[in-house]
Amino acid sequence: MWKSKKLLIFPAIYLLMLYLPILGAGDHVNMTDLSFNLRHVGLLANSMKLALLSAVIATALGFFAALYIKTGFMADKWYRYFFILFLPIPFYTYALSWIYFIRMFSIPFPALLKYSLKGFGACLYVEVLEYFPLALLLALIGMESISASDIEAASVYKRLVIVVRDIVLKEIAPYLYAATGLIVILSVTDFSVPSMFQYNTYTLDLFSVYGRTGNVTLVCLKTLPVILLMLVPLSWLLGGMRKFGTVKSGRLKMGIHLNGWMRVVSGLAFAVCIIQILIPVITFIVTTGSVRVFADAFSSVKEELLVSITVSLLAAIFGTIIAFFPAVMIADSDNGVLGTVSMLPVAIPGAIGAMGLLKVVNRSFLHVLGDSVILSAIGCGIKIAPFMVLIICIYRRYTDRHLTEIAWILADKRKKAFLMECRLILPGLMIAFMLAFFMTYAEEGIMLVLMAPGLEAITVKIYNYLHYGASEYVSAFCLISVGVIAVIELTTLAIYRLIVVGMRK
């Protein structure tokens, strides 16, 4: 059914939407402006240094934290994916906690104060905490496909370290490659964290070029070195997608017991899951100062919260619509070409793509979209769609193909077989939807470019306040933002559990 030629219209629409921002590159460019010198080489080196180190640390933490979960009491519990709660935490939450953390320790050690608002170390801290849940998610999904019986049998004859190295690590290597590639791309194409901590990167320079010239074509052409450089981590990501496991393990708990240094390291990695939310929340509660400040902050940020939630919901719906069929077709056909062109736009910085999309819209009858939140939602949906393809593709490969083939043969109506396949892929679809919602909620660059006049997202409001220095109101804004996200996520989880239980009955 999924191989019908009629359905090719959906991948075509998906690719059109993803590459639509490139059509905005129609401005005249002076060739002298395209110079690429040693300064640009240095900026690219800065970007790659931050991205690679962040990706390696986050992926390593993700692997050991997943190992701790899979061998502990949470292995077969529904809340083992609790860390997804941290995926939408915007970067400025960790950035602000870093600033307060340094200022607190600068009292006995004044020399530390120089690291509070700038430098490589601050960027590394923020990006590791920001991307760690994503690496943990992919690592844990990978471990779900490993046979627990094989692990138990091997542990009888082999030492724990050998079992983990030769079986566990080998089996989930594609997921770890994908996580590393994805984090490298996200880091290199982000300008928010480097701009906040005054760490010069190539993407930050691209944004300054656009602010100085307003020339989308020039910015797109100067983005080519980044895209070419990102082909390497993109190959890790695509290589991982083609090797994702196709059978989900029946038993969730891994039959080994961690001991020695591996237990210590895994426990510390798992502890990061806890402290990465506790430290910011405790910091913000303390620095907010009083209930009055919190109440005033909530009154002044209600409109921005509504804007962010509306844009996130619309972006998730739009992303799901355009990503579903391409993800299923990639999972079923293992088409390397389709996979490459479907994921390549992730190498384009989100703010740069938003600039191109704005140009396209302004040159057409669709310019009226710029007067509402719809344009921001479309821009965020285009940016998030490749990530949704990744998640849906994983869960599509987890479905039992024999069961679905029998359903198509025996079902008296094709609609019933289609609905059964949709139910099997529903967990992946809902996770992809949630991921799109929460990543959009944390988005800041696209919101800056595409938001309608007179409207502002919560991320942009906090980002603007941070330019005037950390204050009790900034802490209150962050605390409110985290609280709203927690309520939405827990509500979504409750709805998901009700749907799953209802389907089983």
Side-chain angles (χ1 to χ4, degrees):
M1 183 269 185
W2 303 105
K3 296 181 180 180
S4 172
K5 291 184 178 180
K6 295 180 180 180
L7 296 180
L8 292 177
I9 184 65
F10 293 103
I13 294 173
Y14 169 83
L15 295 177
L16 174 63
M17 296 306 302
L18 254 64
Y19 287 91
L20 184 63
I22 298 177
L23 299 178
D27 301 320
H28 175 72
V29 176
N30 293 321
M31 299 305 295
T32 55
D33 295 332
L34 292 175
S35 60
F36 189 81
N37 51 40
L38 289 176
R39 173 178 169 274
H40 296 108
V41 173
L43 292 175
L44 276 175
N46 286 348
S47 297
M48 289 305 300
K49 180 174 69 172
L50 176 61
L52 286 172
L53 200 53
S54 299
V56 169
I57 295 175
T59 304
L61 285 172
F63 170 75
F64 282 107
L67 191 62
Y68 186 90
I69 292 173
K70 287 296 293 180
T71 57
F73 70 95
M74 286 192 299
D76 54 356
K77 301 296 191 297
W78 62 267
Y79 53 81
R80 63 186 180 278
Y81 284 97
F82 73 96
F83 56 87
I84 293 179
L85 293 172
F86 311 144
L87 275 174
I89 301 301
F91 77 92
Y92 52 71
T93 302
Y94 301 121
L96 194 58
S97 69
W98 167 269
I99 294 172
Y100 285 132
F101 182 79
I102 292 294
R103 287 183 178 178
M104 181 177 63
F105 279 89
S106 67
I107 297 175
F109 305 102
L112 290 176
L113 195 58
K114 65 180 180 180
Y115 299 106
S116 62
L117 292 175
K118 62 181 180 180
F120 175 80
C123 292
L124 183 64
Y125 168 86
V126 173
E127 292 202 351
V128 167
L129 291 185
E130 184 178 4
Y131 299 132
F132 162 60
L134 185 59
L136 176 52
L137 175 63
L138 288 175
L140 192 55
I141 289 175
M143 289 186 186
E144 297 277 336
S145 65
I146 301 177
S147 171
S149 300
D150 292 345
I151 295 293
E152 291 179 358
S155 64
V156 175
Y157 303 100
K158 302 289 185 179
R159 291 187 298 118
L160 174 64
V161 174
I162 297 176
V163 172
V164 172
R165 183 192 65 192
D166 293 348
I167 298 181
V168 179
L169 188 57
K170 184 179 178 180
E171 289 291 329
I172 72 165
Y175 296 86
L176 298 181
Y177 290 146
T180 303
L182 195 56
I183 293 172
V184 168
I185 293 171
L186 287 171
S187 176
V188 170
T189 57
D190 174 66
F191 79 94
S192 302
V193 175
S195 67
M196 182 173 182
F197 290 109
Q198 303 172 41
Y199 179 70
N200 292 326
T201 61
Y202 194 85
T203 303
L204 183 57
D205 186 67
L206 290 175
F207 201 77
S208 66
V209 169
Y210 178 77
R212 186 174 67 253
T213 65
N215 192 317
V216 175
T217 305
L218 175 62
V219 176
C220 288
L221 291 175
K222 292 180 76 70
T223 306
L224 288 177
V226 174
I227 296 176
L228 293 175
L229 197 60
M230 289 301 96
L231 290 178
V232 176
L234 186 63
S235 68
W236 302 342
L237 175 59
L238 294 171
M241 285 181 65
R242 287 192 289 270
K243 296 178 182 177
F244 284 155
T246 56
V247 178
K248 191 169 185 178
S249 174
R251 220 160 39 126
L252 295 175
K253 188 165 185 177
M254 195 177 293
I256 56 175
H257 299 282
L258 299 180
N259 55 53
W261 68 268
M262 195 169 292
R263 180 177 179 82
V264 174
V265 173
S266 299
L268 291 174
F270 179 76
V272 175
C273 292
I274 309 301
I275 66 174
Q276 77 170 134
I277 190 64
L278 287 183
I279 288 179
V281 169
I282 292 173
T283 300
F284 296 147
I285 290 175
V286 172
T287 55
T288 296
S290 66
V291 176
R292 182 188 61 80
V293 171
F294 183 86
D296 291 344
F298 185 76
S299 298
S300 65
V301 84
K302 286 188 294 186
E303 183 178 345
E304 288 78 6
L305 282 171
L306 181 60
V307 169
S308 291
I309 292 172
T310 303
V311 173
S312 300
L313 183 61
L314 292 175
I317 294 172
F318 176 75
T320 302
I321 292 173
I322 66 173
F324 178 72
F325 282 97
V328 171
M329 290 181 178
I330 291 171
D332 288 356
S333 66
D334 197 22
N335 190 317
V337 176
L338 180 59
T340 300
V341 296
S342 297
M343 300 300 296
L344 186 60
V346 301
I348 301 174
I352 305 301
M355 297 169 193
L357 180 62
L358 184 62
K359 286 281 186 178
V360 171
V361 170
N362 286 340
R363 291 170 179 169
S364 69
F365 67 94
L366 296 174
H367 61 86
V368 294
L369 296 178
D371 298 330
S372 67
V373 297
I374 295 177
L375 185 59
S376 297
I378 292 174
C380 292
I382 291 173
K383 177 64 179 178
I384 302 301
F387 302 95
M388 302 183 74
V389 168
L390 177 68
I391 298 298
I392 297 172
C393 181
I394 291 174
Y395 277 87
R396 172 61 180 174
R397 293 200 171 196
Y398 275 169
T399 59
D400 189 334
R401 302 299 175 84
H402 297 293
L403 179 63
T404 56
E405 288 173 1
I406 292 173
W408 281 106
I409 294 172
L410 299 181
D412 55 349
K413 293 183 180 180
R414 293 175 63 86
K415 181 181 178 181
K416 291 182 179 180
F418 174 76
L419 292 176
M420 189 203 73
E421 283 206 60
C422 290
R423 285 196 296 271
L424 290 174
I425 205 174
L426 181 63
L429 201 60
M430 293 194 68
I431 289 178
F433 184 91
M434 291 171 60
L435 183 65
F437 181 95
F438 297 131
M439 288 184 72
T440 300
Y441 186 91
E443 178 61 45
E444 181 256 333
I446 296 176
M447 300 291 193
L448 277 172
V449 178
L450 297 180
M451 187 55 68
L455 299 178
E456 190 176 43
I458 181 65
T459 51
V460 177
K461 186 179 184 72
I462 297 176
Y463 186 75
N464 289 333
Y465 267 70
L466 281 172
H467 280 82
Y468 300 101
S471 68
E472 64 272 17
Y473 282 98
V474 175
S475 297
F477 290 155
C478 290
L479 193 60
I480 292 168
S481 181
V482 172
V484 169
I485 276 294
V487 170
I488 293 174
E489 288 183 330
L490 292 173
T491 302
T492 305
L493 181 60
I495 294 172
Y496 171 74
R497 284 183 55 77
L498 286 174
I499 292 174
V500 171
V501 171
M503 287 169 52
R504 287 174 180 172
K505 291 180 179 179

